[in-house]
Amino acid sequence: QVSEIYADVPAMCDLGGDLAGRLAGWPKLYYRKAGTIMVNQDYNPKNAVPGDDQMIRTAGYFDAVNFARNITCKVYIRTGGTDGVCPPTSVFAAYNAIPSQDKTIEFSPLGGHCRGIYHDTETIKMARFCRTVKID
């Protein structure tokens, strides 16, 4: 029943990306250490524990890429090339999984997680997307 989605640097995308050689999205659940998959529990590498297949499969249930496969409405997503929190590779993984034909992604190569280089404010972008006001 959702008619439109507007997502600015979405999190929890491509959680297993690191296991496939890509940067994973926040919260960066896994990393490799000497060939072992380690699971972050609280952002302190000292508290990471070796991961098992069940932990990795379970995390997939929360990955936005899996939910993106069900999106059929209009979608607008933004991501920045210097975002270390929600890397653009993770956002593009979710975007590419969206089957909707009415989808747009805005990529700002120098944009970070906290806007940085974006030219328009969030309010203006949202208004354009929802067509609530005409902005040239």
Side-chain angles (χ1 to χ4, degrees), residues 4-6 8-9 40 43 45 68 88 98 101 113 115-116 124 132:
E4 296 179 341
I5 295 172
Y6 181 92
D8 186 16
V9 294
N40 286 321
Y43 297 110
I98 297 170
Q101 296 302 307
H113 191 70
R115 307 307 162 262
I124 292 171
T132 55

Side-chain angles (χ1 to χ4, degrees), residues 1 3 5-6 9 11 16-17 20 42 47 49 52 62-63 81 88-89 95-96 106 108 114 119-120 126 130 136:
Q1 296 179 355
S3 59
I5 295 172
Y6 181 92
V9 294
D42 60 6
N47 297 330
V49 297
D52 61 31
F62 301 94
D63 195 319
T89 53
Y95 177 80
N96 290 336
E106 178 183 337
S108 298
C114 296
H119 298 290
D120 296 328
M126 182 62 88
C130 295
D136 295 322

Side-chain angles (χ1 to χ4, degrees), residues 2-10 71-79 91 95 98 100-108 118-131:
V2 175
S3 59
E4 296 179 341
I5 295 172
Y6 181 92
D8 186 16
V9 294
I71 297 173
T72 57
C73 65
K74 179 180 178 182
V75 180
Y76 187 88
I77 298 175
R78 296 174 70 190
T79 187
V91 176
Y95 177 80
I98 297 170
S100 173
Q101 296 302 307
D102 191 5
K103 64 182 184 177
T104 302
I105 189 163
E106 178 183 337
F107 176 66
S108 298
Y118 296 133
H119 298 290
D120 296 328
T121 66
E122 280 304 300
T123 305
I124 292 171
K125 285 287 187 180
M126 182 62 88
R128 278 193 190 121
F129 175 72
C130 295
R131 296 183 202 99

